[in-house]
Structures are given as structure tokens and as C-alpha cells.
């Protein structure tokens, strides 16, 4: 059925104005910052004032909107009233955007001089009463002049130093959780490099080392760099992507040199995250610093599309744990497996019992960006596996393919030593051959470890001392695999954990359950462990009923 909308082309103008106002209110409250500077006078305005300002500007141009709506209704083909209304709203939103554009500043706070703050902008006589000779005011004034000038001509601007009332904890919380979206929805992001005169200076500018500026670079669709004298650092309209029909420009090469981010990585910030996205972003974050340690995690919320309450004082490690917790709880399995691919120090026992949660972004720096990020694209992982990976009070619940491994001596004439780097050989059926895997242990041992030196397994009390094996058994817990009702697909390249225990004597793999393997069975390594099948690029398929015979077992563990 095709809906006839021709009778609506002459619809009541008052009704259209009401729809426009409703759309403006929705737009301002959901897609614009809490508070803005009205240009060119630099007066702070609340959202309600922004709505009225936009409505006044639209009022002089309603005939244009009426014509656009009428044309859309006359020329469009709609299958339902809902479709027609959606099309009408799209026209209204596009029209509103012309009046609701705002510029947003990306910068680093002054180190030795005072910034202009919210309390300054709300004091009587602002801005004339303020000292205009300070570096903070000069930065603010330069930003507002560029934003309201002929290049961009926007009516509103936002800067974090004075547009957030940091005394209000609720406002600060909302601002931090919304900031990525504010940068994304801005008409233009102006990046001010206070330590840069020319393009060749950029890689030494402090802007490229700060945690918050990572999201301020990644989020905006349009971004322009200015030097310390407020001169543009290129003639391009958008410094994030090359001009149409041209190759990478000098400023984009400088940005890549300073950040490691290639220009085409940021062309569409709203696109779904590609494979390798999680590891890549965490590696970038590991090279950034923040004034408050919690901000290392808070500044990544928008980048990963997650949200959780702000709690300054909780410490950086707990804040990072909550970031990882939010990613695990909301992302599909093909991104969750990237969260698990880390090495280094796990989260403190005081924060959580799991040994599979990293303590900081630095835990992802062991990845070799070019080789491994490319390889990650080809690891088969279901977006919706049969069992969830979820955090519990006894550890991270994770489905693993357990494969026994044995230590390989450095050469046949010397015993195996745990000197920090050890090599393991996967012990399964002959037809399923793997290359030996080199593992970098987090801790070094002067000799072969005994008992609980390498494993703090708290389940040993369930055995009699005389029943426990003298040497540990080691397993790879593979988490990059696919299973269906009858088969397991083992990739030619994948990631795993190193697990170990001192089992009872005459122990066989079919008896291996969560009773024996707990969070304390995981052996910490400096890097994520990567395995590879020998001479194969396709997945190996094993019937589930044959797993034990081939020396493997599927098990859900809490680690």
C-alpha cells in the first residue's frame, strides 16, 4: 500500500512549528553539550537558552522549511504513515542542524598559567571584567574568534575549562560520559597545539601524549589543527582525512608519526568496529597519560561505546577494571576475545578474584601491531557463541578448549629451566600438529619450580599429599575456536592461556574439570600466547566425541 501525502502539503504552519520546536528541544538535550558559549560575545548559555536562540533563527526562515517538507511529501513514496512521518522528521532534523552547529575545542590545559574557568564566566561583568592578558583568556578568545569567523561561522562553542561546572558531581559525571558524543556531533573540532609552530613540531607537542585528546581526535568527523599563534597548520578543510582525489598530505603523515594512527582509520567514527579494534585502541591508550589516574579509563568509555558512573578516588586500576567489565558485558564475542589477549600483571586480588582481567592498558603492548592486528582478522570466532563469557564472584566464566602441553628443553643436553622464556610443545594427535610455542613468563625462576612456586592452586587441599604429582601438568586454554552441537573448529592461528596444576597421580585429561582448574591455575605471561598449526591455513575440525581420544577437552571454567 502506498500512502497518499499530497493532502498534507498545505498542513497547518502552527503544527509544523510545534514539531520543529519539539525536534529542537530533543536535539539540544540529546546531541549538544549541557552548556555552551554564545558567539561572538562568549556568554555562557544553558540548554533552554540554546533552544530559544535556535527557534528565533529558524523563525526567519520557516518558509524554506515548509517548502522542503512539502516537496518531500509530494515527491516521496511511502508505504505507511510512519514512513512518511520519519521522512518528514529527517527533513526537519537536517534543517535544524544548520542553526544548531557548534565548534568544540581540543587542547591541553596550561601547565604554569591559569585557565579561564566556569566561576570566571559566571561572575558579574563577564567577559569584560576578566583579565584579558592571561594565556588562558587568549586561548579562549582565539578559539571563539576562529569558530565564529568566516571559516566556520557557528553560533555556539564549547570548551571544557569553563563550560562544565565541576562543583556539580552529577554534571561532571554526565559531561564525561557524554563527551565522546559531543565531539562526534560537533560541526568542527578545533585542535589547538600550544607547543607547535610548524607541522614538523607536531610529534613533540604534549597534545599527542594526553589521554583525553585520543578520543578528541578519533570522535569528530571534521577536525582542524591550529598552531600556537592560531594559524592553520594546513590548507585542507579536514585534517583527519585526505582531500577528495588526493593522497595523504604532509599534516596527515605528521599525525600518523605522532600517534601511530593512519588517516583512513578515522574516516567513519560511527562505523561498526572492525576486528582488531579493541586491541588497537587499548595499545593507543597505553601510550597516553592523564592528570588523574582514573581518567585513563574514563577517557576510553566513548571510544568503546560503554558507560559507567564516575568515581574519582577509586584508583586507576579499579577504574580500568570497570571499563573492561563494561566491555565484557556489552560487546559480542568476537570483540570479547580481544580483551582476553593480553599479557603482564593481572588485576589485584583486592579488586577481583579473576586472573584473566588485565590491570592496565599497558598489558596490550606486547602485541606486534602490523603482524598480529592483521592476523586477528582471520581468527574464526562466533559473535554469538553457545555460552556467554561473563564475570562472576569466583572468576571470569569462559569456555575453553583444553590442550595438554609439555616443556621443551632449550637443547637436548640441558634440563628445562624456568628462566623467564620457556617453550611448550602441544601434545595431541599426530595429524593435528602445531609449531612449538614460546612463552614469556611474567616471573623468572632460578631453577625448575616446585609445588606452589609457579601455581598458587588453592584446590590442593582436596588431595592427600602423597597423591599429588611431583611435577605440574600444563595446558593451553584455547579461547579462539568455534563449536557447534557436534564439532569443534580449531583455527590455524589463535590465542590461549597457560594453565597448570599439580594433579593426582595417574591423572588423565577426561577428568580435568573446574574442580582442578581455578583462577589460581592461570600462569601469568608477559604477552598474550599465540599458537599456530604447522603447515595449515584452514581450521581443523574435530568431532566432539573424539576430543578425549585426540587428547583434548572442552570445559567451562571460572578463571
Amino acid at each position: 500500500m502506498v500512502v497518499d501525502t499530497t493532502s498534507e502539503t498545505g498542513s497547518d504552519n502552527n503544527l509544523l512549528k510545534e514539531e520543529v520546536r519539539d525536534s529542537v528541544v530533543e536535539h539540544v538535550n540529546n546531541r549538544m553539550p549541557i552548556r555552551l558559549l554564545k558567539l561572538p560575545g562568549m556568554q555562557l548559555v544553558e540548554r533552554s537558552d540554546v533552544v530559544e536562540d535556535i527557534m528565533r533563527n529558524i523563525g526567519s526562515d520557516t518558509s524554506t522549511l515548509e517548502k522542503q517538507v512539502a516537496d518531500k511529501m509530494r515527491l516521496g513514496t511511502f508505504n505507511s504513515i510512519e514512513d512518511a512521518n520519519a521522512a518528514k522528521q529527517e527533513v526537519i532534523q537536517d534543517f535544524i542542524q544548520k542553526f544548531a552547529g557548534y565548534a568544540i575545542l581540543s587542547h591541553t590545559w596550561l601547565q604554569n598559567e591559569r585557565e579561564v574557568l566556569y566561576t570566571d564566566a559566571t561572575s558579574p561583568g563577564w567577559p569584560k571584567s576578566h583579565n584579558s592578558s592571561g594565556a588562558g583568556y587568549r586561548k579562549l578568545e582565539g578559539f571563539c574568534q576562529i569558530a565564529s569567523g568566516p571559516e566556520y561561522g557557528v553560533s555556539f562553542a564549547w570548551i571544557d575549562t569553563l563550560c562544565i561546572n565541576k562543583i556539580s558531581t552529577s554534571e561532571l559525571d554526565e559531561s564525561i560520559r557524554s563527551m565522546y558524543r559531543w565531539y562526534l556531533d560537533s560541526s568542527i573540532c578545533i585542535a589547538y597545539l600550544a607547543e607547535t609552530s610548524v607541522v614538523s613540531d607536531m610529534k613533540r607537542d604534549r597534545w599527542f601524549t594526553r589521554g583525553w585528546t585520543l578520543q578528541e581526535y578519533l570522535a569528530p568527523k571534521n577536525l582542524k589543527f591550529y598552531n600556537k599563534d592560531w594559524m592553520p597548520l594546513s590548507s585542507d578543510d579536514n585534517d583527519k582525512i585526505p582531500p577528495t582525489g588526493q593522497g595523504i598530505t604532509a599534516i596527515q603523515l605528521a599525525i600518523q608519526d605522532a600517534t601511530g594512527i593512519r588517516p583512513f582509520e578515522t574516516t567513519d567514527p560511527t562505523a561498526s568496529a572492525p576486528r582488531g579494534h579493541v586491541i588497537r585502541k587499548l595499545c593507543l591508550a597505553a601510550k597516553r597519560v592523564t592528570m588523574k589516574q582514573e581518567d585513563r579509563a574514563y577517557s576510553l568509555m566513548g571510544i568503546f561505546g560503554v558507560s559507567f558512573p564516575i568515581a574519582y578516588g577509586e584508583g586507576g586500576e579499579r577504574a580500568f577494571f570497570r571499563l573492561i567489565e563494561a566491555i565484557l558485558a556489552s560487546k559480542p564475542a568476537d570483540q570479547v576475545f580481544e580483551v582476553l589477549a593480553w599479557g603482564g600483571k593481572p588485576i589485584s586480588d583486592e579488586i577481583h578474584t579473576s586472573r584473566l582481567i588485565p590491570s592496565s592498558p599497558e598489558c596490550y603492548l606486547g602485541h606486534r601491531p602490523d603482524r598480529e592486528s592483521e592476523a586477528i582478522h582471520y581468527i574464526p570466532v562466533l559473535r554469538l557463541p553457545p555460552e556467554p563469557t561473563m564475570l562472576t564472584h569466583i572468576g571470569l566464566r569462559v569456555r575453553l578448549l583444553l590442550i595438554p602441553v609439555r616443556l621443551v628443553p632449550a637443547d637436548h643436553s640441558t634440563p628445562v629451566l624456568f628462566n623467564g622464556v620457556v617453550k611448550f610443545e602441544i601434545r595431541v594427535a599426530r595429524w593435528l600438529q602445531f609449531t612449538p610455542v614460546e612463552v614469556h613468563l611474567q616471573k623468572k625462576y632460578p631453577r625448575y619450580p616446585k609445588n606452589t612456586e609457579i601455581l598458587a592452586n588453592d584446590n590442593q587441599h582436596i588431595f592427600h599429599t602423597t597423591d599429588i604429582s611431583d611435577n605440574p601438568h600444563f595446558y593451553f586454554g584455547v579461547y579462539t575456536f568455534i563449536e557447534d552441537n557436534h564439532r569443534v573448529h580449531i583455527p590455524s592461528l589463535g590465542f590461549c592461556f597457560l594453565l597448570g596444576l599439580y594433579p593426582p597421580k595417574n591423572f588423565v585429561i577426561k577428568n580435568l574439570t573446574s574442580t582442578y582448574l581455578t583462577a589460581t591455575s592461570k600462569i601469568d605471561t608477559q604477552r598474550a600466547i599465540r599458537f599456530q598449526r604447522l603447515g595449515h591455513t584452514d581450521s581443523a575440525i574435530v568431532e566432539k566425541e573424539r576430543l578425549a581420544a585426540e587428547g583434548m577437552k572442552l570445559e567451562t571454567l571460572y578463571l
Side-chain angles (χ1 to χ4, degrees):
M1 179 186 73
V2 177
V3 176
D4 180 12
T5 59
T6 55
S7 61
E8 298 182 19
T9 57
S11 60
D12 182 37
N13 289 345
N14 290 331
L15 180 60
L16 179 60
K17 288 179 181 178
E18 289 179 12
E19 291 182 82
V20 170
R21 173 172 280 277
D22 290 344
S23 295
V24 168
V25 170
E26 189 276 334
H27 183 94
V28 170
N29 281 283
N30 293 289
R31 298 186 60 184
M32 298 181 74
I34 296 171
R35 191 176 293 105
L36 288 157
L37 285 168
K38 180 71 175 72
L39 302 179
M42 299 195 303
Q43 295 294 335
L44 268 183
V45 289
E46 304 293 328
R47 281 173 168 158
S48 58
D49 300 318
V50 174
V51 169
E52 295 308 319
D53 191 89
I54 292 173
M55 288 303 299
R56 277 194 301 271
N57 291 329
I58 287 177
S60 61
D61 203 15
T62 51
S63 59
T64 301
L65 176 59
E66 290 164 10
K67 184 178 184 305
Q68 289 177 358
V69 170
D71 289 345
K72 186 73 171 181
M73 295 297 101
R74 186 180 73 254
L75 300 175
T77 301
F78 310 107
N79 294 321
S80 66
I81 293 295
E82 289 77 13
D83 289 346
N85 287 335
K88 184 178 180 180
Q89 281 301 312
E90 185 179 334
V91 173
I92 293 173
Q93 282 294 334
D94 290 343
F95 185 79
I96 289 171
Q97 189 62 50
K98 294 189 299 182
F99 301 92
Y102 62 92
I104 197 163
L105 182 68
S106 176
H107 69 116
T108 56
W109 282 51
L110 297 170
Q111 292 181 292
N112 301 315
E113 295 193 59
R114 186 177 179 276
E115 294 280 2
V116 181
L117 304 176
Y118 172 78
T119 52
D120 299 316
T122 54
S123 62
W126 166 265
K128 291 181 180 180
S129 61
H130 194 79
N131 177 16
S132 59
S133 63
Y137 187 88
R138 293 198 304 273
K139 175 168 60 174
L140 170 65
E141 189 175 47
F143 164 56
C144 290
Q145 287 175 353
I146 296 289
S148 62
E151 186 70 25
Y152 305 113
V154 294
S155 299
F156 304 102
W158 187 89
I159 176 173
D160 61 336
T161 54
L162 64 88
C163 289
I164 302 175
N165 178 10
K166 297 180 177 65
I167 296 174
S168 168
T169 55
S170 61
E171 182 174 321
L172 181 61
D173 184 277
E174 180 183 348
S175 298
I176 288 177
R177 293 208 253 176
S178 306
M179 207 170 290
Y180 185 93
R181 190 173 69 251
W182 293 347
Y183 276 87
L184 174 65
D185 289 334
S186 65
S187 301
I188 179 66
C189 175
I190 293 172
Y192 176 63
L193 304 186
E195 299 168 345
T196 294
S197 296
V198 294
V199 169
S200 58
D201 297 336
M202 290 176 69
K203 65 181 178 183
R204 293 182 291 275
D205 198 290
R206 195 163 58 98
W207 189 93
F208 291 99
T209 68
R210 309 303 295 175
W212 285 106
T213 55
L214 178 60
Q215 76 165 2
E216 292 165 15
Y217 176 71
L218 293 175
K221 300 181 183 75
N222 299 296
L223 180 141
K224 188 70 185 165
F225 282 100
Y226 286 80
N227 72 4
K228 63 181 183 179
D229 299 316
W230 287 106
M231 298 298 294
L233 283 163
S234 80
S235 59
D236 302 335
D237 293 332
N238 185 357
D239 288 334
K240 288 182 71 171
I241 57 175
T244 304
Q246 297 184 29
I248 296 175
T249 62
I251 193 168
Q252 283 141 19
L253 287 173
I255 294 168
Q256 182 174 328
D257 189 31
T259 63
I261 304 171
R262 296 178 291 274
F264 293 102
E265 283 189 79
T266 58
T267 54
D268 186 2
T270 61
S272 59
R275 183 71 66 80
H277 160 90
V278 174
I279 289 174
R280 177 83 172 119
K281 296 296 189 291
L282 287 166
C283 286
L284 291 173
K287 301 171 185 176
R288 303 278 180 139
V289 294
T290 56
M291 185 75 71
K292 293 184 176 181
Q293 56 183 335
E294 294 92 346
D295 282 338
R296 295 195 76 194
Y298 300 162
S299 64
L300 295 174
M301 279 196 284
I303 289 175
F304 287 106
V306 299
S307 182
F308 51 89
I310 304 305
Y312 284 114
E314 66 177 323
E317 193 170 310
R318 186 177 294 277
F320 186 69
F321 164 76
R322 292 202 293 135
L323 173 73
I324 296 298
E325 182 181 30
I327 295 172
L328 290 172
S330 61
K331 299 302 176 185
D334 59 350
Q335 291 183 39
V336 166
F337 97 83
E338 293 183 49
V339 175
L340 303 179
W342 61 274
K345 180 178 173 291
I347 206 78
S348 166
D349 289 343
E350 295 179 359
I351 296 174
H352 202 275
T353 57
S354 175
R355 304 290 291 176
L356 301 188
I357 307 298
S359 57
S360 72
E362 281 81 1
C363 293
Y364 295 88
L365 286 177
H367 286 278
R368 293 160 287 186
D370 294 333
R371 286 180 57 191
E372 293 199 357
S373 61
E374 181 69 20
I376 284 170
H377 286 271
Y378 300 101
I379 297 176
V381 180
L382 291 176
R383 285 180 65 84
L384 298 172
E387 291 192 17
T389 299
M390 57 189 297
L391 207 56
T392 75
H393 68 285
I394 57 173
L396 186 70
R397 183 184 189 275
V398 60
R399 181 78 163 164
L400 298 177
L401 177 64
L402 299 171
I403 302 178
V405 295
R406 69 177 179 184
L407 288 160
V408 179
D411 60 64
H412 295 293
S413 62
T414 60
V416 175
L417 297 177
F418 269 57
N419 62 354
V421 180
V422 292
K423 189 173 287 188
F424 286 95
E425 182 179 76
I426 296 176
R427 303 173 62 191
V428 289
R430 284 182 178 272
W431 67 272
L432 193 60
Q433 293 186 324
F434 294 83
T435 57
V437 179
E438 190 174 80
V439 175
H440 295 250
L441 299 173
Q442 180 71 359
K443 182 180 177 182
K444 293 185 178 182
Y445 301 86
R447 54 178 172 75
Y448 192 84
K450 294 292 184 182
N451 298 328
T452 59
E453 286 183 319
I454 187 169
L455 302 172
N457 199 316
D458 55 5
N459 286 336
Q460 293 187 26
H461 67 275
I462 66 174
F463 312 121
H464 295 294
T465 305
T466 55
D467 293 335
I468 300 175
S469 300
D470 294 330
N471 295 317
H473 288 200
F474 296 106
Y475 302 89
F476 280 168
V478 176
Y479 51 89
T480 52
F481 66 92
I482 292 177
E483 68 169 305
D484 56 33
N485 290 335
H486 306 290
R487 294 174 295 274
V488 175
H489 300 248
I490 307 170
S492 59
L493 173 70
F495 288 96
C496 59
F497 308 120
L498 177 60
L499 305 172
L501 78 158
Y502 288 88
K505 294 177 180 178
N506 304 315
F507 185 80
V508 292
I509 193 168
K510 70 178 182 179
N511 297 327
L512 193 60
T513 65
S514 57
T515 302
Y516 298 101
L517 291 176
T518 65
T520 54
S521 304
K522 190 252 183 179
I523 300 170
D524 297 330
T525 57
Q526 294 179 24
R527 303 173 186 167
I529 303 173
R530 173 177 155 177
F531 67 87
Q532 189 165 0
R533 288 183 63 211
L534 190 62
H536 289 271
T537 58
D538 57 335
S539 295
I541 301 175
V542 183
E543 298 291 332
K544 284 187 174 180
E545 61 184 21
R546 291 286 306 162
L547 282 174
E550 306 289 4
M552 296 175 282
K553 186 178 184 184
L554 276 174
E555 191 67 33
T556 298
L557 300 178
Y558 294 81
L559 301 177

